[in-house]
Amino acid sequence: MKKYIIKRLGQAAITIILISVFAYLLMYIVPGDPVYAILGSDITREQYEKQYLLMELDKPMLVRYWHWVEKIVQGDMGLSYKYTKPVMDLLRQRLPVTMYLGGISLIISVFLGIILGTLCGINRGRTVDNVLTVLANIGSVVPGFWLAVVGMYIFSIKLGWLPSYGFSFPTAGVGLSIKQTIMPVVCLSVGAVASLTRQMRSGMLEVIRQDYIRTARAKGLKESQVIVRHAIKNAIIPVVTLLGMNLRGIVSGAVTIETVYAINGTGSLLVNSIVGRDYPVIQACVLIISVVVVLSNLLVDICYGYLDPRIRLQ
Amino acid sequence: AGCGGTKDTASSSADESRVTETAANAGENSQAAETNAENSNYGGTLKIGLQNAIVHLGYVHTGLGTSEAMILDTCCEHLCRYAEDGTLTPWLCTAYEEDPDNLTLTVHLREGIKFHDGSDFNAEAVVWNWQEWTNAGNIELNCVDNYEIIDDHTVVVHLSEWSNNIATSCLYTAGIMVSAEYAKANGTDALDKNPVGTGAFKFEEWVVDEKIVFKANEDYWIEGLPYLDGIEFAIIPDEAAQISAFQTGEIDVLLNCNSDASRTLKEAGFTPEAKSLISGGMSFMFWFSCQDDGPMGNVDARRAVCSAIDKDAIVNYIKENSGAVIERTAQWGPNDVWSANPDLKGYPYDPEAAREYLKAAGYPDGFDMIIYYGNGGDDEEICSLAQSYLAEVGINAKLELIDSTITNELSGINGESFNGMIFSAGRAEVDLTTYYNRTFLPDGVRWVNQVTHEEDIVELINLATTCKTFEEKEKYCQELSKTVIDDYCELMPLYISSDTIFTHGNLVDHGIYQINAIIWTPESAYLTR
Amino acid sequence: MEHFWEVKDLSVSYENLDGLTQAVDHVSYYVDHGEIVGIVGESGSGKSQTQLAALQLIPTPPGKIDNGEVLLNGRNILSSKPNSSEMRKIRGGRVGMIFQEPMTSLNPVKTVGFQIIEAILLHSDTDKKKAEEKAVELMEKVGIADAKTRLYDYPHQFSGGMRQRIMIAIALAGNPDMIIADEPTTALDVTTQAQILDLLKTLAKEKNTALLMITHNLGIVARYAERIYVMYAGNIVEAGTTMEIFHEPSHPYTRGLLRAVPRLDDDKNRLIPIDGNPPTPTNRKEGCQFIDRCRYACEKCYGKAMPALRQESETHFIACYLSKEELDEKEKSWETEKSVHKSLPGDEVVLEAKDIDVSFPVKGGFFKKKSGNLNVLHHVNFQLYKGETLGLVGESGCGKTTTAKAVLKLLDETVGKVYLNGEEILGVPERLFRKERRKIQMIFQDPSSSLDPRKSAEELVGEPLFPYGLVKSKEEYDNRVDELFKLVGLEPALKTRYAHEFSGGQRQRVGIARALACEPEIIICDEPISALDVSIQAQIINLLEDLQEKLGLSYLFVAHDLSVVKHISHRVAVMYLGVIVELTSSSDLYKNPLHPYTKALLRSVPIPDPVLQEGEKNYELRGEVPSIVKRPEGCPFSNRCELATEKCRQQIPDFQEVEKGHFVACFAVKKSC
Amino acid sequence: MKHQSRFTYSLKVLFSRKLVVFAVCLVVLFVLIAVFIPVLSPYDPYKTDMTSSLLKPSSEHWLGTDKLGRDVLTRLMYGTRTSLCIGVLSVFLSSILGVAIGLISGFYGGIVNTVLSRIVDALLAIPNIMFAMALSIMFSSGSILGLVLVLGISTVPTYARLLTAQVLQIKNSDFMTAEKVLGISNKKKIMSHLLPNCISPILVVLTANIGFTILAESSLNFLGLGVSAPVASWGGMVSEAYTLLLSRPVYAMAPGICIMLLVFGFNILGDGIRDAIDPRLRGTL
Ligand SMILES: Nc1ncnc2c1ncn2[C@@H]1O[C@H](COP(=O)(O)OP(=O)(O)OP(=O)(O)O)[C@@H](O)[C@H]1O
Ligand SMILES: Nc1ncnc2c1ncn2[C@@H]1O[C@H](COP(=O)(O)OP(=O)(O)OP(=O)(O)O)[C@@H](O)[C@H]1O
Ligand SMILES: [Mg+2]
Ligand SMILES: [Mg+2]
């Protein structure tokens, strides 16, 4: 197992290095002069040239990449063009928000997905299964932002139950925080719940056909015991490997949902900085988010090892 | 008399009464406040919804965006304010005198005012602010030779050459006052995050991209003001959320919404508040890329484009749907101001004429072009409409959405010419010299690679900035306007729009957008229950 | 008379897209206390479904128990609901079950201890502590060493044989009165098979537990069962005591099976296959199900319902319209058919393997660095003569396939020399060797995975024709393809079909035709029949023999079934953990095995003859088959060998000729020539 | 099953589920609409008419008109064309690129595979929408073709990974060994044996991905990075109408519902095909 973890760590490291290259390269494939991005309109030639040199735009790309990496290793991601403050500070504010929302969504969707998927799987072909399957299929096709807008109209304007925008951590007041969190979390989770339900359902169907389930039944176990003790853990294994994908989906969802609900997380930061060509921020966001995804995948793989003893020993 | 003469005399004679008037106003207001306190509710925190993210706040010496400038007015004040008729009126100063012959501007400061950090507002502070303005690379005060401090509350500005804009520059543009002592102690960068002014509200907290909070200034120099306990700006970029937050009462005021939001709110029973403006609206126009080798480089082709589009119809349509006050104009600035040229025709809608122009330009069957537009506002609809008009005379326009960086790049000093036009908005300035020089002079910074730098235009601009009498300036400006638009057809103005707000009707004397979008007088606003 | 367990008229059907499947059709049988009863039948004949349905373990829907009753001590248990507590008490408590696949029948994510203890707790009132003790006891009883320390290991940490032992422990956990063992050893090696079956038998006899043993291997029932039921297509076609079934087989199917399987003790030259394919019980037609494949069928048999079981003697029942005499009569007329024509090999060596070593790099660590070697083959030597069949047997994982691949030059890891017609081939670059590949072809174990599912049979068979210039024109091509089809006994009309549209036997024929298309001299057969049904195996074996005679081919025939290898080969090589331990002529091998491993192997193979089995001392080979990863230092067999000495544990014995043509690698065998 | 060709059998499995039949009908309906719009609608999707702006649904305009007075239903139908075009073409593009990369990395294995896999890993870690956003600014033409490129390229890694795994698996299968034994050339092995056998799982993902691409396109549009006006696209219509949800619910909901229906159709179809051609694939994606 230790070997396995080390190996996966190594792979993750290489992946992260590559991501850093991509993140850096983004700046060059995206059109738009970074000088204008930093200085805005109405700049004089002198201002332009000064800034051009300041940003080392005259240096070869590899040199700049190297400088960038050097700084990142020291924990410095540069200054945001737009906010003129260290990107690190920005991320320190924004990342927890997205991680909090994303984390809650992930937890909720995993729980719901597993429960609903199991329900579908063991009731295959019955009404519960049919209804839930259709719902899951619908859930996976609703555009998140659209749901967010529709939800806002219903729960904020029509019913007045939930606030229309904003986000705060529970430390700043539990009641408000919960109210503000409900809709974004729902919008972020719907897709993941749906896909996890589907995955869990098929996992369950697969497992339920297995010989060891028959063995468990032949022992004289109750059906519920068969499912809880023998089926679920096995069915979860393939679902766990797909968690990484779901995480990626949730992060993607955050981009639009955060914009709609005026939540200052990494998603909205990224949108703003892409539109505003705030390159240091784009690079940092892409890097950080991808690294988070890579690390979560790593975590998932390790969990996978613990869930599945067959992997653990290899 | 110098060329600022007309204003000069008017303002100095009005100074005294103006000052007393302000004081009286304040007194009245404070009385009203007391009565109000008994009957209805004022105080509380005013929440204002804002769609743009705020980037700079207090470091006044860098150029501030529209919303930023307005927000800063919550805590910082100018030496002068604009009256509703657009004239400069003393506020932190009590009076000023311009002397074009001696090249001086004398400013008398109000006494007994303190900055929020407790330091005194005095001549030294004012001079520091001006110098800081110039140090930051702004060109407005470049004609100043030196500042002479007569006493604690009197400053004389000595000019090296006369500029008829000097009062505006010193007293309004560069006349926003922040604490010099604070800046000296903490560095000017600190001001960016923590503005320290003299205003009715003190800066409290700024959570980037989320909210900006101000608290009432107990020691405000006008007794009894402000009424409100605080003001909070909430930044909500999404339109749906803005509408929703406003309707549910999460915010009291919604600033600057586009026509969709206006329409929805109007249908929900709210009335937009907007003032008909003499100056200070936004001017919406198409800029041609006149230096391009393609059809756009041909003045007749540009004329064809102008004539093919029914600008009046488009503007009427926008007017109907929008909450703002909208005025169709064929000039860069508003229609009824001194710089406007009543003879300017601006190519009225005439498809036949358009076809003629096309023939003259050598494109009888029309041509292809691009229309760039930005994200937001009603830009997309306007451009779509323009496109469908152009299609009727055979001009095949392709719409392309670009973002602000690309717009800045195209309009900047390295901008490449393209075969088309770009839809853009800018401040509708009455005094053309403030913007025309940035654009049409060969060493300008805006659209320089797109507009033609015709000799007659350059000459008119120079004449307009350096002339000493107002009449001359009026004449040159009007001529300039006609030359640029009618003769060379470099741009196609559509309309001027005021800024609008929606309130729940319980906000009194809010002072928002009374003069223009960057000026706010928050001190006497209050909420009723 | 009341039996302990009696199934009466049980019918099970499945309904799904393919149509209605009558998996079990009016099956009746009984088992008494302490009795060992066998049920034999080919794959799909409904053996498992009968048992699962009796315990109401079939999935419903799509499955359905149409009618019948299952009497446990006279009480019909089918009247209880599938998940009722009575039913659950019976499962595991009265009737324990062991399933076919030890690899998949245990929950991979739970420890074996958990799974055994769970079963104990279900059927007794003990507390957890006691249950744990009992679990350890059970594990020791089924022969797992260090039971205590291994209690909380996971299933994958055990070998297949050990897992099957754990399954037995689970089945025993509830102290059942009957154990149903559903093909408990199909997936295991012969030596392990013998161990497991012996264990089961001992346990059953010890406690007077009834044992229902389901299998498709006639040898197993002959050796272990007291009474036998033969199933075919959902029906029981014959029932009787073991003696009756093997010595007076009545039903044509039983007779056919006995004639079709090669026997270790019998030198018969030719197998007599059952024609056709086993039926799929889907959308089946009325009447005798065997009729299409029956060589005895006459007008009497047609157009009627399924024949009922007819009592022949007190214990002997058959389901056939023909009487025993009529059947015997017919059989006599075919006696002459058993003609002898086994071709004799020439003395020209066509393929020679000299000191072949194959070791796979074991990769590990951070950058997949090579961290060691897995030495799979060790000094493998053999010669293959023209027209000869050389058999290669050995337990699973011993390196048979690796040997086959090595001589085919498919493994880059191969070290040593391989001579094809006297010329070394391992050193030749692939680019140049490609044209030579024609001469040496291969037939694979799994006929379905070795045929590209997306190509028609014609494309598969004809593929090498043009590249090798074996045909010139399209016309020639078509003719040649047809010819090849006929050669392997397939209708040329079938050539447009895709692999999955053939039955297993036909698929293997396509595979053979493809190998023949190149006009090879040598064919390497890697377990070509082990994936096939017993009745089909004989067809393929005969085909291979015929082709050898017709085309003078040489075969390297790899298999783990000693009887088959002995039957088809001129000479046999026995492999153990990557080392050939004995090589001799096939008759010599049975009569005069020299290596202790060969001896053990021969004695593990069950012979489908109860009389012969009687005399056989059931030889216990100690321990599990070790994996190649943990090959002992010296002689690979040293840790299981009764005769092993210190020398054996330290040195690898040479592979030497001890008698003429008889090679052995063992220190205990003295050279006599 | 024996005498039934695989294709008809697959079809039978496919259509045995009512939901799949429904999905197929949906997709077919949308395709028909996309093909025959000019015949179906009397209105010009681009002709603006400011006088009939934002009309409520009526017998003339079944779903009302949009801000510029264009018939909403007509534009929705043209939007079908856009969405289908983008969905189908980008998936086509990405699968071709992905298959090529997957084939190369799977067949040659070793260092090529290691390098490509790491790159694919890295790309897969970058959330799709970010990748697409960056790309869409890069190709900032706002044209359908641009979006096809953007969405196509951003999903290439998915296919590449899937195909690599597939190739690695098939490469070592018995029938590929058989080809080697027969002495068949590499080129023929890849083109006529390896590739056809890798295609079917790709087909499944491909169908479902059309749906996801359409969703992604609408998200991009919502963020202002979609097709430029005046081309009608569902995503564009959602973002142009969502603020009008209260006053013009039909206009605001309709494009969203269309997106859902079409994506739903493709998803179910994908699931159905998967079940039909290879039940073992269930749950692996
Ligand atoms: N779920 C099912 N749906 C349809 N048919 C089924 C199902 N399960 C089993 N069958 C059919 O029932 C028949 C009998 O199956 P069964 O498992 O009893 O065979 P068996 O004799 O045990 O064979 P094997 O030796 O392969 O285990 C088979 O033809 C099979 O196709
Ligand atoms: N490419 C490989 N890399 C590493 N080990 C391998 C490789 N191929 C085979 N082995 C190992 O070599 C040993 C012999 O394998 P081989 O397939 O030759 O056995 P076999 O005798 O054919 O067994 P079976 O009867 O199960 O087919 C096994 O332990 C297997 O795990
Ligand atoms: Mg079975
Ligand atoms: Mg093998």
Side-chain angles (χ1 to χ4, degrees), chain A residues 60 93 96 120 137 145 177 190 242 285 310:
Chain A
Q93 283 168 3
C120 286
N137 277 317
F145 61 89
S177 171
V190 162
L242 293 166
C285 281
R310 286 165 293 189

Side-chain angles (χ1 to χ4, degrees), chain C residues 44 47-49 100 182-183 214:
Chain C
K47 307 180 297 290
S48 305
Q49 292 304 316
Q100 188 163 356
D182 185 358
E183 314 210 22
I214 297 168

Side-chain angles (χ1 to χ4, degrees), chain C residues 198-462:
Chain C
D198 288 340
L199 170 68
L200 266 176
K201 186 168 178 176
T202 330
L203 289 172
K205 288 298 167 198
E206 214 169 78
K207 285 202 177 165
N208 202 27
T209 310
L211 180 59
L212 183 64
M213 198 178 272
I214 297 168
T215 178
H216 60 251
N217 186 332
L218 288 170
I220 289 178
V221 278
R223 185 183 278 189
Y224 297 97
E226 294 157 11
R227 265 184 326 107
I228 293 172
Y229 293 90
V230 182
M231 278 191 85
Y232 185 78
N235 297 108
I236 287 187
V237 293
E238 183 160 7
T241 63
T242 308
M243 281 300 175
E244 285 164 340
I245 298 289
F246 283 95
H247 288 277
E248 306 157 42
S250 294
H251 194 278
Y253 177 61
T254 322
R255 292 170 184 240
L257 275 185
L258 285 172
R259 276 198 305 269
V261 290
R263 285 166 57 163
L264 207 49
D265 60 319
D266 185 7
D267 267 339
K268 66 184 163 200
N269 286 319
R270 191 141 176 100
L271 303 172
I272 300 171
I274 302 174
D275 301 329
N277 297 305
T280 46
T282 305
N283 296 330
R284 58 184 213 163
K285 50 188 182 340
E286 286 296 296
C288 177
Q289 296 299 315
F290 190 59
I291 200 157
D292 294 338
R293 307 175 72 193
C294 186
R295 303 182 82 185
Y296 306 82
C298 57
E299 311 84 65
K300 256 188 172 175
C301 305
Y302 285 94
K304 294 192 210 149
M306 178 68 207
L309 273 180
R310 158 167 62 82
Q311 190 154 15
E312 196 77 357
S313 72
E314 192 193 335
T315 48
H316 199 175
F317 299 80
I318 64 166
C320 185
Y321 286 114
L322 301 178
S323 71
K324 198 160 182 285
E325 292 67 39
E326 285 172 295
L327 292 167
D328 286 342
E329 195 62 32
K330 288 222 155 165
E331 206 160 309
K332 272 201 196 95
S333 56
W334 309 328
E335 282 300 318
T336 49
E337 244 178 74
K338 284 192 177 178
S339 57
V340 186
H341 49 220
K342 198 162 186 172
S343 63
L344 287 173
D347 49 8
E348 181 189 337
V349 177
V350 285
L351 183 72
E352 178 171 7
K354 204 148 192 198
D355 284 342
I356 298 186
D357 279 355
V358 173
S359 52
F360 294 109
V362 179
K363 286 172 185 167
F366 202 77
F367 288 107
K368 289 198 180 163
K369 272 208 310 274
K370 201 173 121 177
S371 67
N373 275 325
L374 178 62
N375 205 338
V376 176
L377 290 189
H378 180 80
H379 289 339
V380 170
N381 285 295
F382 63 81
Q383 293 174 321
L384 179 64
Y385 294 95
K386 187 163 176 59
E388 186 201 33
T389 305
L390 175 64
L392 182 62
V393 275
E395 287 165 302
S396 178
C398 73
K400 304 183 296 291
T401 302
T402 309
T403 310
K405 286 190 173 163
V407 297
L408 275 162
K409 201 167 132 55
L410 291 176
L411 294 174
D412 298 334
E413 293 87 350
T414 317
V415 180
K417 298 259 186 298
V418 175
Y419 298 96
L420 179 63
N421 292 329
E423 279 173 42
E424 215 289 313
I425 57 169
L426 287 184
V428 185
E430 177 68 28
R431 203 165 26 82
L432 300 178
F433 183 63
R434 194 168 278 154
K435 334 189 258 307
E436 300 296 313
R437 284 209 174 274
R438 185 180 73 73
K439 297 189 189 140
I440 177 163
Q441 284 300 308
M442 184 170 182
I443 304 171
F444 294 81
Q445 169 167 10
D446 187 351
S448 46
S449 74
S450 60
L451 299 177
D452 185 341
R454 277 164 212 280
K455 293 272 172 262
S456 69
E458 175 185 352
E459 286 169 295
L460 286 170
V461 171

Side-chain angles (χ1 to χ4, degrees), chain B residues 113-134:
Chain B
I113 301 178
K114 283 191 184 312
F115 286 107
H116 295 154
D117 65 342
S119 59
D120 283 326
F121 166 73
N122 54 24
E124 228 172 283
V126 172
V127 170
W128 178 85
N129 270 292
W130 282 337
Q131 280 167 346
E132 197 58 26
W133 180 266
T134 309

